[in-house]
Amino acid sequence: MVPSAVLAEYERHLRAEKNRSEHTIRAYLGDVRSMSGALAVAGVEDLPDVTLSDLRSWLGTLAASGVAASTIARRSAAAKTFLRWAHRTGRVPSDPSVRLGTPRQARHLPGVLKESEAAGLLDLAEVSADDDDPVHLRDRAALELLYASGIRVGELVGLDLEDLDLTGRVARVLGKGNKERTVPFGVPAGRALGDWLSRGRPLLVTAESGPALFLGRRGRRVDQRQIRSAVHDLLAHLPDAPDLGPHGLRHSAATHLLEGGADLRTVQEMLGHASLATTQIYTHVSVERLRSAYRQAHPRA
């Protein structure tokens, strides 16, 4: 229903004009193909023939088949973005998605570690690094930096040596949409990073390492899966702690910052959120903990 040539043009638009990441481009194109296939089966032959009713019927079919609300919301948003572009570039006479609603999603509280659990995790990482294995030194430094700064694991593995200022204890991070920001980190993270740079990285570095801050055993830039494995493996040794990945450390950092008195705007800037509404979900986590403590402790709870 959507010609392959139009999809190719849209892909070029996302990459060259909107500067979207490869992951986002794949997701957008996949959702547009899903819409195209479903509408073709329903009898819609050409892109200009798509109507609001067709789109609503497509989303309704997804809901009736048990597709998660978050997935439906994403596909709806992708369809609206595509059709807006198609109208602006003259491929459809009008945008049929203008009045297309987006399903309301339940806001799930992100999983977080308690402060004591985060401290326990980083203590485990430090003990593991006592054997001076360069990978253990790397994992300790990576986990300390993830929790200290709240950066995404993709941002962490993309760091280069020049992005790190150990003296000022700040890192320059390239976030979503190629937006650059500077994040601070504390003394423990600085110490772990110093140990990695002096005793770990030199043992792994090769001609293929380039400027990458974190390396794998073969000397190439570390990938996200290796960092995820390190987080999961260490958490498995921490009794009663939830099984979280690197993003759980980001959630934990944001929650603990707010609980410690940091204001929303500061946390928004540190995490690289485009919207304050995204940061506000962490206030719900804090309120849930407050309620839990209140129920346990107050005589008239």
Side-chain angles (χ1 to χ4, degrees):
M1 196 275 296
V2 178
S4 57
V6 172
L7 276 176
E9 283 295 323
Y10 185 53
E11 180 177 357
R12 280 192 286 272
H13 162 73
L14 291 173
R15 182 171 285 110
E17 296 178 36
K18 304 300 288 185
N19 200 24
R20 297 293 187 238
S21 70
E22 290 300 319
H23 173 78
T24 299
I25 291 170
R26 283 195 302 271
Y28 273 32
L29 293 176
D31 288 335
V32 173
R33 288 190 182 101
S34 171
M35 176 196 72
S36 176
L39 295 185
V41 169
V44 180
E45 295 183 358
D46 297 311
L47 183 57
D49 297 333
V50 177
T51 66
L52 176 60
S53 178
D54 293 327
L55 296 172
R56 285 174 173 167
S57 178
W58 166 54
L59 296 179
T61 300
L62 291 176
S65 62
V67 174
S70 58
T71 301
I72 296 173
R74 192 199 68 219
R75 289 188 177 174
S76 172
K80 292 173 77 169
T81 302
F82 169 71
L83 289 165
R84 190 182 308 124
W85 168 83
H87 173 52
R88 193 174 64 250
T89 56
R91 289 173 170 84
V92 295
S94 61
D95 181 359
S97 69
V98 169
R99 292 186 291 119
L100 183 66
T102 300
R104 186 179 297 276
Q105 298 181 62
R107 290 179 68 83
H108 299 289
L109 300 179
V112 295
L113 298 173
K114 299 174 184 175
E115 287 190 41
S116 60
E117 292 170 339
L121 172 67
L122 297 172
D123 285 345
L124 282 173
E126 184 174 5
V127 170
S128 176
D130 280 344
D131 63 2
D132 276 344
D133 183 316
V135 168
H136 294 162
L137 288 164
R138 178 204 70 198
D139 291 344
R140 176 197 171 205
L143 267 63
E144 283 279 8
L145 186 56
L146 283 169
Y147 177 64
S149 63
I151 62 176
R152 303 173 179 91
V153 65
E155 296 169 343
L156 177 102
V157 302
L159 289 172
D160 289 336
L161 291 168
E162 64 180 16
D163 296 325
L164 197 67
D165 178 359
L166 279 180
T167 303
R169 292 204 300 274
V170 293
R172 186 176 63 224
V173 176
L174 195 63
K176 289 186 175 180
N178 280 344
K179 291 181 180 177
E180 191 177 281
R181 69 186 190 280
T182 300
V183 295
F185 54 85
V187 172
R191 189 181 305 120
L193 286 162
D195 289 343
W196 156 245
L197 289 173
S198 62
R199 299 179 5 234
R201 190 179 185 278
L203 299 180
L204 297 180
V205 71
T206 69
E208 297 181 37
S209 299
L213 173 60
F214 292 111
L215 305 175
R217 282 217 184 266
R218 296 183 180 180
R220 301 187 186 96
R221 185 182 296 274
V222 73
D223 65 37
Q224 297 185 28
R225 289 172 297 178
Q226 292 166 288
I227 303 301
R228 286 196 186 94
S229 292
V231 177
H232 287 300
D233 290 348
L234 285 168
L235 277 174
H237 293 87
L238 202 63
D240 301 323
D243 182 24
L244 304 175
H247 216 62
L249 294 183
R250 175 173 163 86
H251 292 324
S252 301
T255 303
H256 299 163
L257 277 166
L258 289 168
E259 289 180 340
D263 64 273
L264 272 174
R265 288 287 182 189
T266 299
V267 178
Q268 177 193 11
E269 179 68 24
M270 187 168 169
L271 296 184
H273 286 158
S275 167
L276 192 60
T278 309
T279 316
Q280 284 177 322
I281 191 171
Y282 299 108
T283 63
H284 301 318
V285 177
S286 302
V287 169
E288 277 301 308
R289 288 196 178 173
L290 183 60
R291 284 199 187 104
S292 177
Y294 180 82
R295 291 190 196 104
Q296 292 177 24
H298 199 286
R300 296 179 70 84

